[in-house]
Amino acid sequence: MSRTLGASILLACLALAGCGGGRAAGADPAPAATVTVTASPAVTEPPKASVPPTKPKLTKAERLLDQTRKNNKDLSNGAQTFILADGGGASGAIKAEIKPCQASPSSYYTARHGCFIAVYVAFSSGVDNLPINAADFYILGPENRRYNQGVGDAGLVPMEVERLYFSNLNKGEVLDGFLSFDAPAHGRLVYDPAYATSQIFWSY
């Protein structure tokens, strides 16, 4: 073999990636190397701790008024309580005394709903121009039926006794008077003035 022919064969072998180490024709290709990809987890911020809303601190007077509102739902006969005006302030005080049932105080009248009931109320004003109105009172009987004052008076309140009418009280002034109802023997007297923040109930 000449030197020129040997050099040509050597170059051909190098081009084919080596004569002896090359793959035979038709052989399966070598498997690709396995590549493992690791995904880094996304970094999430820890949830922020929920901060409960802070309740405003109540003053001593506000706490007293809150308790009064609760107590006003079921006062005993004759009890005294606050009158609560718009804005939560105490405008004054009120006391109510419900007299026992009188089925027939006079031979000229008969109670349509069971009894004639007299109510004595007394006010003490803590502000100027506190409106007092007899129409703000009524009785709730069984099944929440309402009985307005002044119905079936029947002479229950004597003429010489002061009845409760509309009035505006100044600070420090006191007013008292009587109301009358034709209503059941047992129920609740309700005071519900338009300016107040809650109703007042006396059970009898």
Side-chain angles (χ1 to χ4, degrees), residues 112-113 115-116 147-154 163 180-183:
R112 294 179 54 202
H113 304 297
C115 292
F116 291 119
Y147 301 87
N148 291 323
Q149 69 87 28
V151 177
D153 188 334
R163 295 190 64 90
S180 59
F181 299 85
D182 180 347

Side-chain angles (χ1 to χ4, degrees), residues 30-91:
T34 302
V35 178
T36 302
V37 179
T38 303
S40 300
V43 178
T44 57
E45 296 182 0
K48 295 181 179 179
S50 58
V51 179
T54 56
K55 293 182 179 180
K57 291 184 178 180
L58 300 178
T59 65
K60 183 177 180 180
E62 288 171 334
R63 289 195 302 270
L64 177 62
L65 292 177
D66 282 344
Q67 188 61 43
T68 302
R69 288 189 184 96
K70 296 175 184 177
N71 294 342
N72 280 352
K73 295 180 180 179
D74 192 17
L75 288 164
S76 60
N77 184 5
Q80 177 175 296
T81 187
F82 285 125
I83 305 169
L84 304 178
D86 290 332
S91 294

Side-chain angles (χ1 to χ4, degrees), residues 173-191:
E173 291 182 343
V174 175
L175 178 70
D176 61 354
F178 275 89
L179 304 167
S180 59
F181 299 85
D182 180 347
H186 300 286
R188 294 199 295 172
L189 175 69
V190 183
Y191 180 53

